[in-house]
Amino acid sequence: MNKKFRDSLINLGETLAMLVLALLVGALMVKISGNDPLEAYSAMLTGAFGKNPLKSQMKIYELLVKVIPLMMVAFAMSIAFKAQLWNIGAGGQFVMGSIASTAVALYVPVPIPFRIALSLAAAIAAGAFWGWLAGWLKVRFNANEVITTLMLSYIANCILLWLINGPMQDPYSDLTQSDVIPEAMFLPRLIGNYRLHSGIFILVFVAVVMCFFWKTPLGYQIELVGQGRKVATYSGANVDRTIQTAMLISGGLAGLAGWIEMFGILHRLFPDIASNYGDISNIIALLGGLNPYGIIASSFFFAVLINGGSSMNRMTNVPYSIVDVIQGLIIIFVIAKVILHRKNSSAAVKKSK
Amino acid sequence: MASSIFTLSFFVSLIASTIRLATPILIPALGQIYTQRAGILNLGVEGTMLMGSIAAFSTAAATGSLWLGILAGILAGILFSLIFAWLTITVRANQVISGIGLNILASGLAAFIYRVIFGIRALPAQVESFKPINFGSLSQMPVLGPILFQHNWLVYFAFLIVPLSWFIMEKTTYGLKIKAVGENPRAADSKGISVAKIRYSAVLLGGAYAGLGGAFMTIAYLNQFTESVIGGRGYIAVSVVIFARFLPSRAALGALIFGFFTALQLRMQALGVSIPSQLLLALPYAATIVALIFASKNAAMPSAYTVPYSRMER
């Protein structure tokens, strides 16, 4: 067995062990809260897969529906993260993309096919701009991107609230939401009346591109910047430009995720459209080790956790927030995982002396 | 509309609530001065504050004692930041990821604890929060009374520890050790200072302040807990420290600026000014970005900022 393959197997094993550990601690907390952990987790499983997975296609389609935005945003974040740019405000870029594309869909009077193309471009551009802004602030003013992306994300949500209470408010009701986009623009559903929509093809396309992205010159350069300014500069990378490019792509992908969600599922703006995709996709990207295959796998895991969690919330006394707790534990354990290797490597150092 | 902005009562209530709203940013910011000076960027302040706020609130609700609530908030802040300290100092994990991870954990944990303790209710659980200190006739004074003499003790406490923080940082050996550890951990180590110990203490101290700041929100400013009670104040506190270049007095100024924008937004909303309230809501966040722009360019960060220290590596 070659070493690389063995290492990634070990890595996979450790990651799975951390997931199990997080689920165990979660079970303990369910127990402390006076509920039955087994009941909670089995409710979660049936909630995600149905009583008989072979017969409940609806549950499987719903998992795919959830995977689409999660994986898209996680890919978006992984691009920035790889450059050590902590774009934790991807939720805001998602919102900006949704806003821009909805505005085009509702107000630009061109034939539908053009309008779809235009709305797609607007979503990517808006998300990319919101991401790039933080990258530019970092390059130009040395402003910490964790804080700026997050503040920009708060601001994006304020803009959304303003629009759906004011200029873009639904003319047919008093609700804080926008009008529905023209039905001809909806992403077509794939199977009967199930919510699974053709946006999944875009996701598959992006996933395939991502599997090759880190081998391209641009991907390589972004990764170099992640190794530190000195290393990157010595290797001939233009650090400032790469930072801005990485944030641009990252934001653009998050904006695209907003477009897919808007035209595939939501069909109108309302408060909190980005749900907490920003946080969850952040964990997905890190759990997947910023690796495309890892991200694909962990997106499915989290889709199960979320869909299962919300039906557990309905069927048992265990609140949905346990899912958030488990997510938090997962990320902490995954961070702490490096200590396993630290012990080995320090032993190796001692041996070699 | 404009005329009602320029009245004395508007001005007075604006300044009074500026001071009140600066408090929950000033307290955690003062704590983070220790932490950041020791070379550690703790973005988990947001989550630490949230844990402080739920601990303080549930303790105060259970025991009926606000003082026990304060104590619980501080303890929760210390315990939660202990996880951060372990991750970043012992495990030597990336500080940014560790902080963000803890914030995600805290938002789940706080909501879970609230739900387990208080269940599902039609109306949110409430406590009787701290009352303003009665300064007698001083509190009744026009203008100055409401601005300066109608706050609760935590507000005064926050501003009183500003000079104390400065003194500890600049005039005591502990402050000197913190700075040494942040500037050149290897040199500090060779002088017999335990880098890990000092960094642990600086993180825990920051956690205690953050917990207290969180407690302020639920039992001294509001009288209830919501999942969004901190609402980015932890991150704002971190940027105030960067803006303040680690000086407590400048941190007070920074906190007052943010308090002002938050107060302005609340007051203008209350007046029904024609600027849409949702856009006003964005004011403090926009101000944070602007402050970072002005502060970060030439900020003199500790040399070992965000760099883990290991005795083995050269």
Side-chain angles (χ1 to χ4, degrees):
Chain A
M1 222 184 332
N2 72 31
K3 188 167 181 313
K4 202 174 168 194
F5 183 66
R6 206 187 58 197
D7 280 356
S8 52
L9 263 189
I10 292 175
N11 192 15
L12 181 70
E14 284 170 6
T15 305
L16 288 178
M18 294 302 149
L19 291 184
V20 172
L21 192 59
L23 288 171
L24 284 178
V25 177
L28 189 68
M29 294 193 55
V30 172
K31 185 89 192 155
I32 292 171
S33 74
N35 293 288
D36 180 7
L38 269 181
E39 189 198 335
Y41 282 156
S42 66
M44 216 185 252
L45 275 180
T46 44
F49 295 107
K51 285 218 171 60
N52 180 349
L54 294 175
K55 284 186 189 152
S56 42
Q57 354 168 356
M58 197 263 265
K59 299 277 186 186
I60 304 297
Y61 298 146
E62 280 300 309
L63 279 182
L64 290 172
V65 163
K66 202 73 209 179
V67 159
I68 296 172
L70 289 177
M71 202 189 293
M72 280 296 287
V73 179
F75 280 140
M77 291 175 122
S78 73
I79 289 178
F81 285 9
K82 200 84 159 195
Q84 299 270 322
L85 293 165
W86 306 107
N87 175 19
I88 61 170
Q93 293 141 24
F94 178 105
V95 167
M96 292 310 278
S98 309
I99 292 175
S101 57
T102 310
V104 170
L106 288 177
Y107 307 121
V108 179
V110 293
I112 292 294
F114 293 112
R115 222 192 293 178
I116 292 178
L118 203 60
S119 70
L120 181 62
I124 297 176
F129 173 71
W130 220 238
W132 167 81
L133 203 56
W136 179 74
L137 288 170
K138 180 171 183 78
V139 168
R140 179 79 178 72
F141 300 105
N142 190 26
N144 185 321
E145 80 283 0
V146 177
I147 295 166
T148 52
T149 53
L150 194 83
M151 294 298 142
L152 284 169
S153 163
Y154 284 128
I155 293 173
N157 276 307
C158 293
I159 295 175
L160 171 67
L161 281 180
W162 163 61
L163 288 173
I164 55 180
N165 275 298
M168 284 178 79
Q169 193 181 19
D170 185 3
Y172 308 105
S173 75
D174 293 332
L175 300 173
T176 49
Q177 58 185 29
S178 74
D179 198 357
V180 177
I181 58 173
E183 208 174 322
M185 295 182 76
F186 289 9
L187 280 167
R189 293 184 167 183
L190 295 179
I191 302 145
N193 249 342
Y194 298 115
R195 295 203 305 167
L196 182 61
H197 55 84
S198 50
I200 193 148
F201 296 125
I202 304 175
L203 177 71
V204 171
F205 172 75
V206 171
V208 171
V209 170
M210 285 306 298
C211 289
F212 293 100
F213 181 73
W214 299 114
K215 303 256 188 324
T216 66
L218 178 64
Y220 182 67
Q221 215 165 62
I222 290 178
E223 207 176 333
L224 259 182
V225 168
Q227 321 250 321
R229 185 171 277 271
K230 264 189 202 155
V231 177
T233 313
Y234 290 149
S235 316
N238 182 334
V239 176
D240 286 354
R241 202 166 58 206
T242 311
I243 287 179
Q244 295 180 63
T245 312
M247 286 301 296
L248 195 75
I249 302 176
S250 184
L253 272 183
L256 174 61
W259 183 84
I260 297 175
E261 200 62 359
M262 188 51 63
F263 287 65
I265 298 287
L266 306 174
H267 302 141
R268 61 162 29 130
L269 294 173
F270 50 85
D272 204 24
I273 43 171
S275 187
N276 48 355
Y277 294 146
D279 276 355
I280 300 170
S281 299
N282 180 354
I283 309 175
I284 292 175
L286 292 173
L287 181 67
L290 306 188
N291 167 313
Y293 305 106
I295 290 176
I296 293 171
S298 44
S299 302
F300 279 95
F301 176 79
F302 275 85
V304 170
L305 207 56
I306 292 170
N307 281 6
S310 47
S311 58
M312 176 201 66
N313 187 40
R314 284 193 304 273
M315 298 193 313
T316 69
N317 269 329
V318 184
Y320 181 83
S321 43
I322 191 69
V323 171
D324 293 329
V325 174
I326 293 172
Q327 285 167 2
L329 289 170
I330 289 173
I331 191 170
I332 301 301
F333 290 151
V334 169
I335 296 167
K337 191 167 70 106
V338 284
I339 203 168
L340 295 172
H341 300 277
R342 180 75 38 69
K343 291 249 166 71
N344 296 339
S345 69
S346 61
V349 169
K350 269 179 203 149
K351 234 184 234 167
S352 69
K353 269 180 184 170
Chain B
M1 220 61 97
S3 62
S4 54
I5 293 182
F6 298 106
T7 58
L8 187 63
S9 69
F10 176 83
F11 175 77
V12 167
S13 71
L14 178 67
I15 301 301
S17 66
T18 293
I19 292 172
R20 241 190 312 277
L21 283 159
T23 310
I25 290 172
L26 179 57
I27 297 176
L30 288 173
Q32 288 314 300
I33 289 180
Y34 297 106
T35 309
Q36 293 202 16
R37 261 275 156 107
I40 290 174
L41 173 64
N42 182 0
L43 290 164
V45 186
E46 179 83 10
T48 313
M49 287 180 76
L50 192 61
M51 294 312 291
S53 72
I54 182 71
F57 181 77
S58 34
T59 307
T63 63
S65 161
L66 291 172
W67 295 100
L68 282 179
I70 291 287
L71 201 65
I74 295 174
L75 271 178
I78 294 175
L79 281 178
F80 205 67
S81 59
L82 185 62
I83 308 176
F84 180 83
W86 180 74
L87 284 174
T88 55
I89 302 167
T90 307
V91 179
R92 302 206 296 278
N94 181 302
Q95 295 177 3
V96 174
I97 304 179
S98 305
I100 298 169
L102 280 175
N103 290 342
I104 294 172
L105 177 64
S107 65
L109 212 51
F112 183 76
I113 292 172
Y114 182 76
R115 168 69 195 276
V116 168
I117 295 181
F118 297 97
I120 305 172
R121 323 170 147 239
L123 289 171
Q126 296 197 333
V127 296
E128 191 85 17
S129 55
F130 280 109
K131 293 271 165 297
I133 297 177
N134 189 359
F135 289 96
S137 57
L138 280 178
S139 302
Q140 304 308 320
M141 269 200 309
V143 184
L144 279 185
I147 290 180
L148 291 179
F149 300 108
Q150 288 182 14
H151 301 296
N152 63 47
W153 70 274
L154 256 172
V155 175
Y156 301 106
F157 178 76
F159 285 90
L160 282 176
I161 53 176
V162 171
L164 183 71
S165 303
W166 175 84
F167 182 82
I168 293 176
M169 211 57 197
E170 303 298 328
K171 300 290 170 198
T172 65
T173 32
Y174 178 63
L176 206 65
K177 281 180 183 169
I178 285 184
K179 281 194 271 186
V181 159
E183 285 300 334
N184 193 339
R186 191 159 305 282
D189 194 2
S190 69
K191 291 264 181 251
I193 300 172
S194 165
V195 175
K197 239 185 232 165
I198 293 291
R199 284 192 166 173
Y200 259 94
S201 73
V203 170
L204 297 190
L205 201 54
Y209 280 61
L212 181 61
F216 177 86
M217 287 310 295
T218 45
I219 63 176
Y221 180 69
L222 303 170
N223 53 3
Q224 59 192 47
F225 173 84
T226 65
E227 287 165 38
S228 59
V229 69
I230 305 301
R233 285 187 173 82
Y235 287 102
I236 292 177
V238 170
S239 20
V240 160
V241 175
I242 297 171
F243 167 81
R245 296 187 185 141
F246 312 107
L247 282 177
S249 55
R250 277 187 58 123
L253 177 71
L256 282 170
I257 293 174
F258 293 107
F260 175 77
F261 281 113
T262 317
L264 186 67
Q265 166 247 319
L266 287 173
R267 292 292 118 199
M268 281 165 79
Q269 249 187 70
L271 276 184
V273 175
S274 58
I275 305 169
S277 61
Q278 299 85 12
L279 287 184
L280 287 174
L281 221 58
L283 258 182
Y285 304 123
T288 306
I289 295 177
V290 173
L292 269 187
I293 287 175
F294 280 109
S296 301
K297 188 73 180 169
N298 304 313
M301 295 295 182
S303 309
Y305 200 53
T306 74
V307 183
Y309 175 65
S310 156
R311 299 185 83 164
M312 288 192 332
E313 287 156 22
R314 297 281 129 171

